[in-house]
Amino acid sequence: IVADIDGNPVGELRLPYFALDVRESGAVIGDEGIVVGDPDIVRLTTRTPLNVTRGILSGFTTHRDRRVFLQFDASIAEGSSGGALARSADGVLIGLPSNQTPGASQNYARPVSLVPEDWVELIVSRGGDVIR
């Protein structure tokens, strides 16, 4: 980010971020997590666009012996796809809520263990926290 919405230059930014747990074993059934999303971002008339829910990791969907979805018992609001699923114990990002679910439920997230290794290297090279 080099400029604001009006084109004015922006100095050094110190934006908040989540540490990432990219281990396949980074999400364990029974883990409590917090789901944060912004389902009403396009409707600016709402008073509370931020949506936060809490729940338990209850299962996985696998494909070719790799976890591709984390099943969560928290209600994930429609439109929160791309938000954050953080482990409650330490606030580390373990998944991203997804609307590309296997079935009608919205209670799935993509695990951050699917992040490509070159992206992980880029995050680390820029000072990000990654658990491997």
Side-chain angles (χ1 to χ4, degrees):
I1 300 173
V2 295
D4 66 16
I5 196 167
D6 297 318
N8 300 314
V10 176
E12 182 181 344
L13 292 176
R14 309 233 358 121
L15 301 173
Y17 63 90
F18 285 98
L20 305 178
D21 190 339
V22 297
R23 300 172 298 165
E24 179 83 11
S25 63
V28 178
I29 291 177
D31 277 350
E32 184 176 280
I34 305 262
V35 178
V36 180
D38 198 358
D40 294 321
I41 195 163
V42 294
R43 286 186 278 156
L44 298 177
T45 59
T46 182
R47 290 183 181 199
T48 56
L50 190 63
N51 181 285
V52 178
T53 56
R54 182 177 71 184
I56 303 295
L57 182 64
S58 57
F60 307 105
T61 300
T62 59
H63 178 69
R64 297 184 181 168
D65 297 325
R66 190 167 187 197
R67 295 176 182 171
V68 293
F69 285 105
L70 305 175
Q71 184 177 357
F72 206 69
D73 76 348
S75 176
I76 299 172
E78 185 176 349
S80 289
S81 182
L85 168 56
R87 197 170 36 230
S88 293
D90 56 8
V92 171
L93 188 72
I94 58 172
L96 302 173
S98 174
N99 64 359
Q100 299 174 346
T101 58
S105 174
Q106 293 295 313
N107 298 350
Y108 286 87
R110 291 286 194 170
V112 294
S113 62
L114 296 175
V115 171
E117 183 58 31
D118 55 335
W119 292 15
V120 172
E121 292 301 324
L122 180 63
I123 291 166
V124 169
S125 73
R126 303 232 173 140
D129 296 327
V130 176
I131 300 168
R132 298 182 197 206

